Amino acid sequence: MLNTVAIVDALSTGNELAKKFMESGYRVVHVWNDFTRQTRVSGFVETIKYEGSCEQIVSRLRKYDIRYVIAGSDSGIELADMLASMMGIVEGNSPETTAWRRNKYHSHQVLAESGLRSIKQFKSSSAEALVNWANECCGYPVIVKPLNSGASDGVTLCENATEVAQAAAKQLGQKNLLGYVNEELLIQELVDGVQYFVNTLSWNGKHHVTDIWEQIRSRVNGGAYNFEGMHLIPGDEPTAHLLSSYACDVLSALGVNYGAAHNEIILTSEGPVLIEANARLMGASINEESFTRCLGYTQVSRCVEMYLEPGRFLNELVGKDYRLLSGVSEVSFLFTGDGLLAGMPAREAIENLPSFSNFFGLPTLGQQVKKTTDTKGLPGFVYLVNDNKTQLEQDFQQILTWQSEGKIFDIIS
């Protein structure tokens, strides 16, 4: 049995993916594409830098008899699709349709052509054209953002033509979070409703929803939204079924036949509509301790199980609802100002809450920080776990109150 996989950019949650494969007895080759970030994992049988030639990468991978090529993060998706195809590995997504999954404009064009609900949109390299489209075809507010970046990089909510022009001037021609130059920008209608994260796994075009999170967010002046927290919803409730059905249709339309996906969907009064689909694992807020307590697994662990035993995945999970073992919520911490991070005075009070489970990714004291205006570099999370839904919500709201009062962190300006 082949026991070597290649992970392209084992970054963000891709670190945990690599470690989980190693723990399962697999050898892992790291194909490094995004040189701006370092993996945290040791134990790769080899790290291969991608320097512009897929043929050279394939030649070096051949000696390992690679079983799968998997994207560890956004920056690895395109290369993973290409390498798997060149190596004749069928358990991958077609490079001919990669743009459907990497370019937000193409994603919504494909959805519209497939008869699935999508967002009104337009793209251009001209600030004037973006403004004209908003004036003539959509109205305000609108969202302006890069076509192919990650997190909330460059996502700007614009209330008028002046703000659209300013967003375009700021971003056009600039390199985005994933290293692409914003030669064009995407402008979309603002969709109103509750946003959800729908995490999935796919094998041979069959999909399974691993977990769905209801987002709590707030508007940011001059930006879009800050995410303040999220609640895991039961997999068997009507909202989950509605979101799951739509998400699976989206995955099929966009050619996600294999692997993980992290889908951002807004539920409006008219039904669900995709914000964006990302053909990779959920981002760095996956916490094994809390996720395992409430689900018995993480998307990472279930993803590895799928690659190791695809038949079991198809027989036991596809078409089945996930089940909660306990209620869980997460609060995303925010920095309320710029300055020196001197302390975390609310730490003990949070730890004494009945639902407290654990902190994750907290910042280092003594560093210079900036006011949080997007999801890049979030200053950590706290997870709350409780079978008592009322208590869980009370503790969640208490932390949000402390946060709104600026009591979580001590920042010296």
Side-chain angles (χ1 to χ4, degrees), residues 354-397:
S355 304
F356 174 77
S357 173
N358 61 288
F359 294 112
F360 183 60
L362 291 180
T364 303
L365 299 183
Q367 64 176 301
Q368 291 290 325
V369 301
K370 291 185 175 296
K371 182 177 180 179
T372 305
T373 58
D374 53 38
T375 60
K376 296 177 294 181
L378 277 173
F381 312 89
V382 59
Y383 280 91
L384 306 173
V385 178
N386 203 313
D387 292 331
N388 185 319
K389 186 175 181 179
T390 300
Q391 185 66 61
L392 184 66
E393 179 63 24
Q394 286 178 356
D395 293 346
F396 180 86
Q397 291 299 331

Side-chain angles (χ1 to χ4, degrees), residues 2-126:
L2 304 179
N3 65 346
T4 307
V5 298
I7 297 179
V8 184
D9 280 347
L11 310 167
S12 184
T13 317
N15 286 283
E16 280 58 56
L17 182 68
K19 287 189 289 187
K20 191 64 67 175
F21 266 112
M22 292 177 190
E23 291 171 1
S24 300
Y26 267 57
R27 299 185 302 171
V28 179
V29 177
H30 183 213
V31 179
W32 191 13
N33 178 45
D34 181 2
F35 301 147
T36 66
R37 296 184 290 170
Q38 298 274 348
T39 183
R40 300 189 302 270
V41 180
S42 60
F44 295 115
V45 293
E46 185 177 358
T47 293
I48 305 172
K49 289 186 176 182
Y50 173 67
E51 297 176 322
S53 172
C54 288
E55 289 77 10
Q56 290 181 1
I57 298 293
V58 169
S59 176
R60 294 177 66 176
L61 289 176
R62 290 288 187 197
K63 65 181 178 181
Y64 293 108
D65 205 7
I66 299 293
R67 189 172 187 187
Y68 305 118
V69 180
I70 307 168
S73 64
D74 280 306
S75 57
I77 293 172
E78 184 174 358
L79 185 55
D81 287 353
M82 182 60 69
L83 293 176
S85 177
M86 292 175 67
M87 296 178 69
I89 298 173
V90 299
E91 295 90 352
N93 299 317
S94 171
E96 295 181 1
T97 60
T98 298
W100 298 358
R101 300 177 290 278
R102 291 297 303 124
N103 184 295
K104 297 175 177 65
Y105 177 81
H106 289 314
S107 295
H108 283 275
Q109 291 295 101
V110 170
L111 294 188
E113 293 168 4
S114 302
L116 293 172
R117 189 172 177 212
S118 59
I119 294 177
K120 295 178 184 178
Q121 63 174 2
F122 176 72
K123 67 180 177 71
S124 179
S125 60
S126 163

